[in-house]
Amino acid sequence: MTTESALADGVREALSVDAEAFAERAAEEAEIVKQELRDGSFDNHQSIVGFEYEFYAVGDGRWSEESRAGEYALMRVPRRLLELMGFEKELGLHNAEMCTSPQPLSDHGLRAQLAEVRARLEAAENTAGVEGMRLVSDGLWTIPPAGETAEGYLTDSVEVDGVVVAVNMSDAVRYHAMANADPDAADGDGPDDARSEGGRVELSAPGVSLTADTVMPESLITSIQPHYQVAHAETLPRHFRYALRIAGPLLALGVNSPFFPPDLYDDGWDGERILAEGATENRVHVFESVLNARTDADKVRFPRDFRDVETAVDRIAADETLIPMPDPGGSDRFDDDFATFRTKHGSYWRWVRPVFEGASRSAANARIEFRPIPGQPTVRDSIAFQGAFAGLLQSLAQREHPVIGLDWETARDNFYAAVADGLDAEMEWIGPDGQHTTDTDALYEDLLDHAEAGLRTAGCAADEAAEWIAPLRWRVANRTTPASWKRDRVRARLDDGDDFETAVVDTQREYIRQQADTLIDGGFSAWVDRA
């Protein structure tokens, strides 16, 4: 049996699962989760941090003929190579993902996170280098594979035994099944016009509209995801409320996807218009438009507050089911008692989301996953976001910071303002004195002071806490983000007479060359110093 045939069989099996029975099991298991919460199973003696880190692969000109064919063009990662690197597969064949081991929130814990990412990434880069390949930390790739267009790579699909299979997608049944599900069979209650016409997927962003048969266009984007595990599950709603209020400001610091592959832009969108009207964080537009295209209610969205932890559980259980996957069975994990609930959580796509899981009762945890931040230019900058997110959730709740009273609608508006304009966005904040402000310097002075304070509370010395947050303070002081760095270079190349495609491609190559020297041991600020 071919890999494609086996995948098609898996898709058919997933589509044959009774959706109503699946939803009923999820609701029943939600009650198990709530009982475990009442029993204290998800409580721990301290806060814990974790991290997910996504990359894409490009050719770096060594050894491989494919690599030499296009400088820093996207490359597919052989599955055997992915296993050798110890990374997980992600949506596209060009993707690779690393998950760190959870660590206590402390200076030692953060240094363990930083050391683990550096050690594993260095080993992975050495392995990938043998194939003439490099892993890139970024928000959205812009140079397609050599000899291919971005549109062709993202939309190429075949039909295998009546099942639509995306040619360049990893063999994950759930994602392939989404392309083959009956668009009218989902269990949501939203309006019919929320779906793409004919059940197809449409990527929609300022200047870009791409139609595909599968969710493969989502593989344009890569991210980092800091995790914060609360010590006591009953405090999750309060921490979650703070996480929503800091989402916009932190995203504005991290924006890193201002451009698409040039062949994806619509007619009438030249370089000048893209610089004037394009978003600074197109990753948000990609994720929302592609995955919401197959749902009645928008599953990818800025979530609402919840009043208690049981409400969070109920929301996950009641979330629209896209593909009611079969129970894999054969495991003895603690959370196998709510395996269907965990499956539902896998497509509970919110920019900030609660998680309840654990391989054992002692490892059971209630945590917040922070998903807005794109991949960053260096590891050091990436871990700065992890430290800031954890420090803020630690400090804001302890100090009862008044920003918790910021209207939810304002927090949401801040988030999408950051998507559009990055650090140039006007965002509303409530300072420690309870006064509302839109002053960027005042907002970030308060935000980053509290991030440092939270790290000090967690055991970091004052100079150590400042060191973790320093890369973000530099961005504020210099009004520079990875997105603005890219936009400035494209602007300069256009002024020098380059066409838009050349300007974007050459800027991307400069990004990757700078990253080659700084990804593991350097910092983004050095890019500006050496420019």
Side-chain angles (χ1 to χ4, degrees):
M1 179 182 294
T2 66
T3 301
E4 290 79 8
S5 295
L7 180 59
D9 288 344
V11 169
R12 276 190 292 271
E13 181 185 4
L15 296 177
S16 69
V17 175
D18 185 286
E20 185 175 344
F22 180 88
E24 290 176 356
R25 285 200 308 276
E28 292 169 358
E29 291 177 5
E31 297 306 314
I32 297 175
V33 175
K34 288 189 280 189
Q35 185 59 54
E36 295 288 355
L37 284 164
R38 289 190 288 270
D39 292 344
S41 301
F42 292 97
D43 293 341
N44 293 278
H45 69 285
Q46 65 182 112
S47 301
I48 305 289
V49 292
F51 202 63
E52 297 179 39
Y53 204 152
E54 298 170 353
F55 302 85
Y56 61 78
V58 301
D60 69 358
R62 291 181 290 175
W63 314 116
S64 164
E65 182 176 345
E66 181 184 358
S67 174
R68 290 196 300 272
E71 184 184 3
Y72 298 143
L74 198 71
M75 283 188 71
R76 300 162 178 87
V77 183
R79 302 296 88 176
R80 59 170 180 79
L81 188 64
L82 200 59
E83 294 174 2
L84 286 172
M85 292 191 300
F87 278 44
E88 301 294 328
K89 62 186 177 185
E90 248 293 334
L91 181 63
L93 293 179
H94 55 276
N95 290 129
E97 182 182 54
M98 173 201 308
C99 297
T100 64
S101 307
Q103 297 289 341
L105 175 56
S106 65
D107 188 62
H108 290 303
L110 288 173
R111 292 194 183 281
Q113 294 278 298
L114 178 62
E116 180 179 357
V117 172
R118 283 174 167 168
R120 293 179 60 189
L121 182 55
E122 183 177 49
E125 290 282 34
N126 290 338
T127 303
V130 175
E131 299 289 334
M133 188 180 295
R134 174 175 297 281
L135 296 180
V136 177
S137 176
D138 195 4
L140 193 157
W141 57 263
T142 56
I143 307 177
E148 302 179 54
T149 64
E151 181 176 0
Y153 180 80
L154 293 168
T155 61
D156 193 9
S157 62
V158 297
E159 188 172 305
V160 179
D161 301 331
V163 172
V164 176
V165 174
V167 171
N168 297 304
M169 190 188 294
S170 296
D171 57 348
V173 168
R174 180 177 56 143
Y175 285 112
H176 286 280
M178 287 173 62
N180 294 272
D182 178 358
D184 297 320
D187 61 1
D189 298 321
D192 292 339
D193 62 3
R195 294 192 181 282
S196 297
E197 184 177 353
R200 303 189 78 194
V201 165
E202 180 163 325
L203 186 165
S204 180
V208 174
S209 51
L210 175 69
T211 302
D213 291 325
T214 74
V215 296
M216 182 63 189
E218 194 257 320
S219 72
L220 276 163
I221 58 177
T222 42
S223 68
I224 58 173
Q225 295 179 22
H227 298 176
Y228 178 84
Q229 176 181 320
V230 299
H232 302 290
E234 66 180 11
T235 69
L236 190 72
R238 186 170 181 80
H239 285 94
F240 190 84
R241 190 177 177 99
Y242 277 116
L244 296 184
R245 272 76 189 159
I246 63 176
L250 286 182
L251 175 59
L253 286 175
V255 288
N256 193 19
S257 56
F259 301 113
F260 285 91
D263 73 272
L264 294 185
Y265 281 99
D266 298 332
D267 293 340
W269 281 77
D270 59 10
E272 295 298 332
R273 185 177 181 188
I274 292 164
L275 285 171
E277 301 178 32
T280 64
E281 193 46 51
N282 284 297
R283 174 179 163 266
V284 169
H285 290 297
V286 172
F287 198 52
E288 289 191 346
S289 64
V290 171
L291 293 181
N292 286 342
R294 297 290 296 176
T295 66
D296 275 335
D298 290 343
K299 286 172 69 68
V300 184
R301 62 179 184 262
F302 191 81
R304 288 194 171 272
D305 303 318
F306 47 83
R307 64 183 181 276
D308 54 59
V309 69
E310 293 194 353
T311 298
V313 175
D314 288 336
R315 286 185 183 176
I316 295 170
D319 192 48
E320 179 181 351
T321 299
L322 291 183
I323 304 298
M325 297 292 292
D327 185 353
S331 173
D332 59 355
R333 290 173 57 104
F334 160 74
D335 49 21
D336 280 349
D337 285 343
F338 45 95
T340 300
F341 176 87
R342 281 200 301 132
T343 298
K344 287 216 63 168
H345 179 270
S347 64
Y348 187 68
W349 294 312
R350 305 296 190 271
W351 289 114
V352 185
R353 70 179 184 184
V355 180
F356 306 92
E357 66 176 15
S360 64
R361 185 174 295 274
S362 61
N365 65 89
R367 67 176 186 267
I368 297 171
E369 291 184 356
F370 193 68
R371 301 161 60 82
I373 308 298
Q376 295 297 299
T378 75
V379 170
R380 181 67 187 81
D381 288 88
S382 297
I383 300 300
F385 278 99
Q386 182 184 33
F389 177 64
L392 283 165
L393 291 196
Q394 192 87 354
S395 175
L396 295 176
Q398 288 177 341
R399 298 183 175 206
E400 299 185 344
H401 193 289
V403 79
I404 197 170
L406 189 71
D407 290 343
W408 176 85
E409 289 81 4
T410 302
R412 179 198 56 195
D413 291 347
N414 285 347
F415 179 80
Y416 289 105
V419 170
D421 297 317
L423 269 178
D424 291 331
E426 182 175 292
M427 294 178 287
E428 185 173 335
W429 183 255
I430 301 178
D433 57 359
Q435 297 298 308
H436 289 247
T437 182
T438 57
D439 182 85
T440 298
D441 289 322
L443 186 165
Y444 282 107
E445 181 179 7
D446 185 37
L447 185 88
L448 299 180
D449 282 352
H450 276 83
E452 285 188 25
L455 295 181
R456 291 195 302 270
T457 300
C460 295
D463 58 339
E464 294 167 340
E467 180 184 350
W468 288 116
I469 306 303
L472 305 186
R473 287 199 186 276
W474 179 91
R475 294 187 185 194
V476 175
N478 292 274
R479 291 297 195 271
T480 300
T481 62
S484 69
W485 184 93
K486 291 176 180 176
R487 287 172 57 87
D488 289 347
R489 275 146 184 78
V490 168
R491 171 78 275 166
R493 287 181 165 92
L494 291 176
D495 290 345
D496 287 342
D498 286 349
D499 60 69
F500 179 69
E501 179 176 1
T502 300
V504 170
V505 168
D506 285 351
T507 293
Q508 188 69 9
R509 288 171 175 159
E510 183 183 354
Y511 179 96
I512 296 171
R513 282 194 295 271
Q514 294 271 24
Q515 188 172 96
D517 296 331
T518 57
L519 174 60
I520 295 175
D521 293 315
F524 174 56
S525 60
W527 294 24
V528 175
D529 293 340
R530 69 172 73 170

